[in-house]
Amino acid sequence: MTNLKISKTSKTYGALEVVSDVSFEVAPGERVALLGHNGAGKTTLIRMILGLTPLTSGSIEVMGHAPGSSIARRSIGYLPESVAFQGALSGREQLHHFARLKGVSTNKADDLLERVGLAHAANRKIRTYSKGMRQRVGLAQAILGKPELALLDEPTSGLDPVSRHEFYDIVRELSDAGTAVLLSSHALTELETRTDRIAIMSKGKLVANADLATLRKQAAMPISVKITTTSKDVDRVAADLGGARVNGQIVEMTCLQDQKMATLNRLATLGEMITDVELSPPSLEELYRKISTSDLEVK
Amino acid sequence: MGAFYVMQMELLVARRNMWVTTAVVLMSLFSLVLTLAGGATAGSLGVDPLTVAATSITTLSVYLVPLIALLLAFDAIAGEIERGTLALNLAYPLSRAQILLGKFVAHFLVLAFAVAVGLALSTLLVISQYGLADLSFMPLIRLFFTSLALGATFLGIGYAVSASVRQPGVASGVVIIIWLVLVVLYDLSLLGVLVADNGGVFTTTFFPYFLVANPADAFRLLNMPDVAVDALTSGLNATGPVAGTWGLLVSLLGWPIVSLLGAWLVFRKVEP
């Protein structure tokens, strides 16, 4: 049994189809990134998983149970996109409240405050917290009681780079302990190395659902190659490889994934003329742009 | 259990946001002032001083209790929607009924505490002026419980508004208008129609129902000394079962149930 199973789920508001025939699963310990433009249907999908919005058709199962059912709710940890909490309460009071609702001991809540780096500010009013600190309270409540499924909506917005790093460490601990993690984000570069699978939604449809290597292969986006030559040979190298000369030393060209080794072999034959080579595979951002704007489907 | 935790947190929030202090100070201040003002006439008329105090406080409570209740309630759901905590709360194993019940009990306790402190201070003042002998506590006890019923009605109205308009700013405006209409304008328009009707069908047939149907008026009539009620109803030739104590009690105790049920029905439809 997977922790989250979405089958042929659609949601329409009148004539508008916000989510259209989406199916995918998140297994225990798996970290899946959900990407998409604003209005692509990510938030609606998350709300349906939570049982806040009824489905028009299809089905969603959380630990084998219907969204919004008592067992489904007990299994989910949720971090909303923007949550403000009660400014009049301290971080500790707020988290203790959530712990009681989840039936988790308040000692565990205190441990979590320490884990997310809020121990020093735990007794201050949330009103005085920075956005990053509030986001940490949000994360702490989402992972209270080790949920089977963590739904994290834009979890790193408002966090500085160090905090983001700490955040993904916590997500990793969570998934290592068996939690299925579904997180949506706009910060694409940080997701590349930190998720197991990437699901992309576009205009309500799921257009991609695969790991990064598969996405790269199927999107067939060229790898960019930057060659540094000795200055006297730059024109010859450019002509030989069919690349473009950028300045007195550098030639740039592109090649597809399956031509990568052939290209490297040809570069090797040029010997002393070449002093350095830099290969950049398409970034997740470029992949995302291509997949979400074309009719390509990668599953 | 969920409702209990919600109540606990709402009580803490009400204390932190100074709602408790504000409500207690308002009720105490006005109760004491009116007791002092009413006391001036008590001695010469030979009426029980606590009854006089209760009557004076009634004229104030009929405005103040609904106002405090609406102010406690208007943010309850709209505020959660705005902060994004409603979606979060509903992701927890917590039903809407539990959320509403928890908030209601907390706000009800705040209101009850404020009314109790106000009445207790008034009682102490009367005792210090007249001594303990021959005091009748019944009007005070009646005032306390009827105030709570009146407050509960307006808490329910406040939640219903809060859930329908979704924005705290708009909700606060709407509850003030509702307060003005139900507590002030309702009576004025009844009076206007009475004058225009000049003892016709409206005065004899419909007026008692209209009077009793408004919980604020039912509250006022229940807490006025019998003489006043008799004068009001018989003078208008409107005696009948509806304006009797039972009719008033049904109105006063029925409205809290209706308004809270209404709030729950509206809240149930809210998509966070």
Side-chain angles (χ1 to χ4, degrees), chain A residues 5 19 31 42 70 78 100 105 116 122 132 138 145 185 195 215 220 224 233 273 297:
Chain A
K5 184 174 182 187
V19 173
R31 294 166 298 168
K42 292 174 306 198
S70 171
Y78 170 50
R100 285 187 215 106
S105 81
V116 299
S185 180
T195 50
L215 284 185
S224 75
D233 298 313
M273 283 187 263
E297 291 209 3

Side-chain angles (χ1 to χ4, degrees), chain A residues 72-84:
Chain A
R73 283 182 179 201
R74 263 168 228 288
S75 317
I76 289 180
Y78 170 50
L79 173 58
E81 184 176 349
S82 55
V83 62

